[in-house]
Amino acid sequence: MLTMLKTLRKKNRITQHSLAEALHISQTSVSKYERGESEPDLEMVIKMADYFGVSIDEFIRGEK
């Protein structure tokens, strides 16, 4: 899942800062999620999947 977050963010040319603002979290949180230092809760996973327009399953598993 953490790999998918970074992959989707880079594919869509979105900065960590912009993503953080859109999700109402800190840029530090986005960075920690991407580095595996922290895990988002289920509510945040849903918000991230919705933001990128992918299913939760695709977001978590990294596949369609």
Side-chain angles (χ1 to χ4, degrees):
M1 176 180 61
L2 302 171
T3 303
M4 192 61 166
L5 173 60
K6 189 172 185 176
T7 299
L8 287 168
R9 184 178 63 75
K10 292 212 175 249
K11 178 182 175 185
N12 289 282
R13 296 183 176 147
I14 299 166
T15 65
Q16 287 183 347
H17 180 77
S18 295
L19 179 60
E21 283 186 344
L23 298 174
H24 306 288
I25 59 175
S26 70
Q27 182 269 324
T28 302
S29 293
V30 174
S31 179
K32 285 183 177 184
Y33 295 156
E34 289 185 354
R35 291 193 319 259
E37 293 178 9
S38 182
E39 290 280 331
D41 62 17
L42 181 58
E43 183 179 341
M44 185 54 59
V45 170
I46 293 168
K47 285 181 181 180
M48 289 180 194
D50 286 347
Y51 178 83
F52 288 109
V54 297
S55 69
I56 295 168
D57 190 54
E58 183 179 351
F59 187 75
I60 292 173
R61 294 178 185 227
E63 58 190 45
K64 288 188 177 187

